[in-house]
Amino acid sequence: MKHTRKAVAAVIGLVATLSLTACNGDDNASADTSTTSPAASADKGSDDKGSGTGGTTGGGSGEASTGGEGSSGGEGSTGGGEAAQGTAAGTGDNSDGKIDICRTDELEVNATDNTTDKTEGVVTVVFKNGGGRDCSINGYAGVDLTASTGDTLSVDRNGEAPHPDILKDGESAAFNITFPYNNTGGSGIRITNLVVTPPNETKHVTLDWPAGTLPVSDGEGAVKLEISPVGKVSDSPAG
C-alpha cells in the first residue's frame, strides 16, 4: 500500500501513451475472440464483496495461499512494459438522459507492468471507454490471478475511498495491483492470467499477466496482494 500512490502517479504518463497510440490508428480493440482479445463471461455482480472472478468489487481474502511453487515459472524480472490487452465492442446509449455505468462490453481493457523498483511490483489496469457515449465508473474492480499450478489467488482492496467519475468516449480510468517483488532468486509462483471485472458489472475479461513471478511464502504468512480503487486518468485524450 505504501507504493500505491507512487505507482498511480506513473499511470498518467502510461495511459497518455496508450491513448495516443489508439488515436494514431493502432486499433487493438477488435472483438475477434480468435486473437488475444479476452473472452467475457457472465458471473456474479461486481457490486458484491469477494474476488474478481465472480464479477465482484475485489473484496476477497486479500491473501494468496502460496504453499506450492509454479515449477514452470520464469524469472522474477518485471519492468518490461509489456501490455496485455482485451477489447470489447461498444453497446448501449444514454437516450433516457441518465448516464449508465461503464459496461464491460464497451471498455477496452489493458494490463501493463508498471514496476519501478525491486521491492514492490505494480501492474496497472486501464479501462478505456470505447462505447461511443459517456459512462460512469465508481468503486473497485474485481481481480483474481490464475497461477500456472491452476490455483486462483484473490486480491483485496487497499482501503482507499473510491469516488465516482464520468468517462467520455475515448477517456480512460485505471487502477493498480500491488504485489511483493520476487527477489528471492527462486522461480517463484508464475501467474498466467489476470481476471478483471469492471466496477458494478457482471462480466469479466481475462488478460495475460504482464509482470514477473510472485515469491513463495516464507512461512510467516501468505503473499499480500492489493488493488486500488478505479480512478479517472485526467489527461487521457479522447479519440
Side-chain angles (χ1 to χ4, degrees):
M1 188 167 130
K2 63 184 175 61
H3 208 77
T4 300
R5 292 187 176 83
K6 173 183 173 184
V8 169
V11 175
I12 295 177
L14 168 66
V15 174
T17 302
L18 290 174
S19 301
L20 180 59
T21 302
C23 291
N24 287 334
D26 183 10
D27 185 8
N28 289 327
S30 171
D32 184 356
T33 56
S34 65
T35 67
T36 58
S37 300
S41 62
D43 216 320
K44 296 193 304 179
S46 65
D47 52 352
D48 298 328
K49 293 182 180 180
S51 63
T53 300
T56 69
T57 54
S61 65
E63 295 187 351
S65 175
T66 57
E69 292 192 12
S71 59
S72 59
E75 297 298 324
S77 61
T78 60
E82 297 180 359
Q85 179 172 354
T87 61
T91 58
D93 57 40
N94 297 318
S95 56
D96 60 356
K98 180 181 178 181
I99 298 179
D100 195 10
I101 65 171
C102 296
R103 299 292 181 179
T104 304
D105 289 342
E106 60 191 357
L107 292 173
E108 301 170 18
V109 188
N110 294 277
T112 302
D113 182 8
N114 201 30
T115 302
T116 57
D117 60 42
K118 294 186 177 181
T119 301
E120 185 175 68
V122 178
V123 165
T124 301
V125 178
V126 178
F127 298 121
K128 181 179 179 181
N129 180 11
R133 66 178 182 91
D134 294 354
C135 66
S136 65
I137 195 163
N138 179 30
Y140 283 84
V143 175
D144 280 336
L145 307 182
T146 304
S148 60
T149 58
D151 295 328
T152 297
L153 312 181
S154 296
V155 184
D156 202 4
R157 304 171 183 180
N158 67 3
E160 295 179 8
H163 58 84
D165 285 305
I166 301 298
L167 298 184
K168 296 183 181 297
D169 186 38
E171 291 185 332
S172 298
F175 70 93
N176 284 332
I177 305 168
T178 56
F179 55 94
Y181 185 90
N182 182 22
N183 54 14
T184 65
S187 60
I189 301 171
R190 185 169 67 89
I191 304 300
T192 56
N193 295 116
L194 167 63
V195 183
V196 179
T197 308
N200 304 304
E201 250 291 31
T202 59
K203 291 183 179 180
H204 63 257
V205 295
T206 301
L207 307 172
D208 292 335
W209 176 249
T213 60
L214 305 182
V216 176
S217 173
D218 59 5
E220 296 181 358
V223 174
K224 187 70 173 178
L225 305 165
E226 290 186 330
I227 59 172
S228 63
V230 175
K232 182 177 179 179
V233 180
S234 59
D235 65 345
S236 59

